[in-house]
Amino acid sequence: MKINIGSRTEIEASQMLFCVSDANYTKVFMNDGKVILTSTNLGKIEERLGNYKHLVRPNRSYLINVNYASCMEDRQSIMLKTGKQIRISRRRMPLIMSYLEKV
C-alpha cells in the first residue's frame, strides 16, 4: 500500500520502520536505511495510513511498524530490530499489546 507523505513523495507503507515527530516535520526511517524528512505532521501520516494495521503509535512522538519490533522491554518500551528503543505511553499499552499478539 503506497501512501503520500509529502507533496510529491509516495512510499510503500510496509517499508517504513518508524516515524519520529519533529515539531511540524516528520522524519520517516525506511528499512533500506533512508531517512525522509517531510513537512507532513505525524497525525496526518497516521490518517493517510487508514486501514494499514502494522503501523501503530506507541506515544505522541513515534509511529512504528510492529513487523520490525523484536521484543518488549519491561512493559514500558519496545525494542526494534534496528536496536532503537521506543517508550510506550501508559494509555496506549493495551493497544500495543494487542498489536504485538497478532504479529
Side-chain angles (χ1 to χ4, degrees), residues 18-55:
F18 62 94
C19 301
V20 180
S21 173
D22 187 16
N24 290 331
Y25 295 91
T26 302
K27 290 180 184 175
V28 180
F29 292 80
M30 306 297 289
N31 63 359
D32 62 358
K34 288 184 187 176
V35 178
I36 302 168
L37 180 66
T38 180
S39 61
T40 306
N41 65 24
L42 195 57
K44 186 61 81 174
I45 291 175
E46 187 178 25
E47 283 177 22
R48 291 178 183 169
L49 286 167
N51 59 358
Y52 190 76
K53 298 189 180 355
H54 297 289
L55 287 159

Side-chain angles (χ1 to χ4, degrees), residues 38-92:
T38 180
S39 61
T40 306
N41 65 24
L42 195 57
K44 186 61 81 174
I45 291 175
E46 187 178 25
E47 283 177 22
R48 291 178 183 169
L49 286 167
N51 59 358
Y52 190 76
K53 298 189 180 355
H54 297 289
L55 287 159
V56 65
R57 203 162 172 182
N59 59 42
R60 294 178 71 180
S61 301
Y62 283 88
L63 181 69
I64 64 168
N65 190 336
V66 293
N67 291 332
Y68 294 102
S70 63
C71 64
M72 288 210 41
E73 298 284 322
D74 61 27
R75 294 190 48 91
Q76 293 180 355
S77 61
I78 291 179
M79 181 71 73
L80 297 180
K81 292 179 181 174
T82 62
K84 178 84 172 158
Q85 187 171 0
I86 298 172
R87 185 164 167 75
I88 303 171
S89 69
R90 284 187 318 242
R91 292 182 185 168
R92 297 181 191 246

